[in-house]
Amino acid sequence: MNVPLILRLVGLRYKLLWAQTRTRNGRIALFFTGYAFAVLILILMTAGGIGAAILAVRQGKAEFVAQAVLGGLFLNALLGSVVTGFGINTAFTDQALRRYAIGARDRLAARHLTGILEPVWIFVLGLDLGFCTGLYAMGAGSFWLGAVAVVLLLIADYLLARVFATLIEWLSHVKGGTAILFLMLMGVCLLPSILISRLEKAHGAKEAMLAMLQYTPPFAAAALMTNPGAGLIHQFGLLGAWIAILLVALAAIEKQAAKPRSAAAAVATWDNRYERIASIFGPGMAPLVGRTLRYYVRSNKVRFNYIAAIPLLAFLTFNHANGQAGPEHYFVRGLGAFVIAGFLGTAVMATNQFGFDASGFRRYFLLPVPAGAILRASSYTALSMGGTLVAAALVLWLLFAPVPLDARMDCMLLACGVGGLCLFNALAIWTSLLAPRPTNFETTFGNQLSLSANVLLIGGVLLCVFGTMALDKAAGPAAVLNYWWVSIPAAALAIVFYLYSLRLGASLFVSRRERLLNALEGRN
Amino acid sequence: MTPAIEVANLTKKYGETVAVENLSLTVPGGTMFGFLGPNGSGKSTTIGCLTGLLDPTAGEIRILGEPFHDSAVALKRRMGVMPESLGLFDALYAHEFLFFQARMFGLDEETARRRVSELLDAMELGGTGKKRLSEFSAGMRKRVAFAAAVIHGPDLLFLDEPFESIDPAGVASIKQWLHKITAQGRTVFLTTHVLETVERLCSQVAIITKPGKLVWQGDISALDRDGTISHDGKEFRTLEQLFLHLTGERYAQLEWL
């Protein structure tokens, strides 16, 4: 194995990350990431890691708490990386690595070593090690055994994330894959609440479930950490087996995904659907909106997020694991879900409207139309696609939500949907113009958004979800419903803000076009 | 005939860096005009300013007799541009991209479809059906970009390195079409580093050097007629000799190679 070259490639990955800080946005991103990283490490390692360990040992439940902490971190890292795309970016593809004098095995090692050394996994490792240190300090486990277990657990977590990501990426390319993805997502969103209700009812189900969980990587790592004497070989063997199985699964899926897709059709088929839909914006805008619509519909990222949006919103609204259950509480949480409903599906493209155009961005300025029309066409497309999600969410709410019909509720939900749609799309205009990033159109995964776009998307979702939870707790559904009319002027304000952003953005689009060109073509 | 392009004291700066300095140029209508210069001399920046992609820092540009700044949208309708980076929308199929381009330049749906089909056949891209532009080879992408530049029958055609990556048969076809375009009184403004091609194709040539300074402009038909071009009291038998003399480009020696 060519270890020096592989290590140099890892070094190159970090150099590339560092190179991003040469831009103004990169420096801001670095500052915030560094700050957030340091603060989180401090808080979580002390309070979440060592603190949890101390508590666990004092209560004599070290293994149980270790299972919960490691399991929680394992699941959060897995979901976080698959949903947000952090930590599963492919720094170097197998094809890109072929230019170096290394064999297939070395390329595999280089790819996964650069992958697992992404900052997010190091962050997770820090948290796991913090917990391990806490247990050791309290005399409840072996540090070195725990550290090895944590490293193996991290490898299993990383591999599982890659298996999911590659599987979803592959499914989004094959025929019928979208339907399978939709079913998978529905399963992921609905399974926890079904399982919880079953476990509560069925006698002995909880014990059976716990017995099954003993065979999972976090439980094996927890056993190694807190109970090193018993079943050492068994637990190590279990973690090793998981890693081996995941490696084989990953290799198989990657092999399948690398197969060339179906051959190109010999004859071009004319499909004017998109232009016909786009003609509602007038004949002048139809080709532009039609083109952008094709981009949205063909983007794997958008397609995945679009089909995931409704199940995710349903999960956020009706999952009562962390909140109060009941129709009126569903309604309050539904308000937050409706605010983000119109944005979730399209955000990856709407927050970086020209990032997917590559050199095509240049062409916009060669077209015989005012440049502002390009921005309008792009934004109208995101707005229309988001609007259909709001409409679909409202129809599904009216048909299936276990909430009695109330015109005030429906009016509030609609106003929240429209207001959120306009507000987020207005902000997306600004992130597209002020923080654009060249983005790979073909990938489904990997977070390629700018810092501002990430703040808008992730921050927006968290604010809406936790904001409505807080509102539910603080004011209660009845008080919220009493002020139903507030939602109407709020929505109107969001519409005005959107129109204003569109107008101001159009002139900014013209004046900043050279900067945009440089940013999108990779020049600082 | 009205000059196709008139440029007076064009300057383009990026901060403190001067990309084009006081460039004045006249391109006669109905000609095949070669715009030459070493790498980084400002050719693409000049084309960017002439086509509306970039804002000049100073200077005046008249296209087809009209000030470009005042009637950019109307003038763009009469121009066809094949930029150096091609400017393709990679997620589209070739026919979708060309149809979009045709519709944006005001062709009706029927004419647009007909021209797209004819161009795809002429460019030997007819069998690429459901293959996205991102999957095309470099030569195929160049053909698509050329087709996009000519689909609306422009009066003025800008071509930045049009022949690079295209196979000999494709180059021959494009050259034939370019001759046809200029024979109809329309103008072609092209840049390339293949000086033999310029010698054969163009009648007028301008040579610039860093930073975007015009060092020579003239008729190169004397090369065909007399076998030499005179400049500064010297005789040059090829355009390459004249180019190297004017730009001061040299062959570097690498001892270890």
Side-chain angles (χ1 to χ4, degrees), chain A residues 11-217:
Chain A
L12 176 64
R13 170 64 185 148
Y14 273 82
K15 265 187 193 164
L16 291 172
L17 279 175
W18 183 246
Q20 287 177 2
T21 63
R22 286 183 198 141
T23 61
R24 189 169 156 270
N25 282 334
R27 278 196 295 274
I28 297 169
L30 181 75
F31 172 75
F32 276 106
T33 311
Y35 180 77
F37 188 79
V39 170
L40 278 174
I41 280 277
L42 207 68
I43 293 170
L44 291 167
M45 275 187 78
T46 51
I50 299 171
I54 292 168
L55 193 71
V57 175
R58 277 186 189 156
Q59 290 181 346
K61 291 177 182 174
E63 188 171 357
F64 174 72
V65 177
Q67 287 167 346
V69 171
L70 293 181
L73 281 171
F74 185 88
L75 270 181
N76 276 310
L78 177 69
L79 284 174
S81 59
V82 173
V83 172
T84 64
F86 288 120
I88 48 168
N89 286 333
T90 314
F92 303 111
T93 60
D94 188 65
Q95 203 175 359
L97 288 173
R98 278 171 191 264
R99 76 183 73 157
Y100 302 108
I102 50 173
R105 201 175 292 175
D106 286 355
R107 287 200 302 273
L108 185 79
R111 268 194 308 128
H112 290 302
L113 203 58
T114 49
I116 203 166
L117 288 175
E118 284 278 317
V120 69
W121 296 110
I122 295 175
F123 179 61
V124 175
L125 183 67
L127 296 178
D128 283 344
L129 281 177
F131 182 68
C132 174
T133 312
L135 284 181
Y136 172 69
M138 295 299 293
S142 151
F143 177 78
W144 290 112
L145 217 53
V148 175
V150 156
V151 171
L152 292 176
L153 180 67
L154 186 87
I155 295 172
D157 206 358
Y158 162 79
L159 288 172
L160 190 58
R162 283 222 80 104
V163 165
F164 271 121
T166 316
L167 182 70
I168 295 170
E169 181 97 50
W170 173 66
L171 278 173
S172 63
H173 281 105
V174 298
K175 226 174 189 178
T178 312
I180 298 171
L181 270 178
F182 184 75
L183 290 175
M184 275 172 63
L185 279 163
M186 289 296 282
V188 168
C189 291
L190 299 177
L191 205 63
S193 47
I194 295 170
L195 273 179
I196 289 167
S197 65
R198 283 281 162 89
L199 286 175
E200 280 167 355
K201 284 174 197 165
H203 179 71
K206 207 178 270 180
E207 288 71 25
M209 177 66 88
L210 274 174
M212 272 169 65
L213 285 173
Q214 298 298 327
Y215 295 99
T216 60

Side-chain angles (χ1 to χ4, degrees), chain A residues 272 298 363 365 513-514, chain B residues 55 76 86-87 96 109:
Chain A
N272 268 14
R298 279 183 193 159
R363 187 163 291 275
F365 303 100
R513 73 176 183 278
E514 288 183 24
Chain B
D55 284 328
K76 279 180 186 176
L86 305 184
E96 290 172 349
E109 201 171 324

Side-chain angles (χ1 to χ4, degrees), chain A residues 246-303:
Chain A
L246 288 169
L247 267 174
V248 170
L250 184 60
I253 298 168
E254 281 188 342
K255 200 174 168 186
Q256 191 66 31
K259 279 184 185 170
R261 276 172 249 160
S262 57
V267 183
T269 47
W270 292 95
D271 176 9
N272 268 14
R273 263 182 302 179
Y274 301 101
E275 282 75 17
R276 277 203 300 274
I277 296 168
S279 64
I280 57 169
F281 295 102
M285 292 292 277
L288 278 172
V289 178
R291 187 217 70 95
T292 317
L293 200 54
R294 275 184 209 275
Y295 258 66
Y296 271 85
V297 173
R298 279 183 193 159
S299 158
N300 291 325
K301 276 179 191 289
V302 173
R303 276 214 305 250

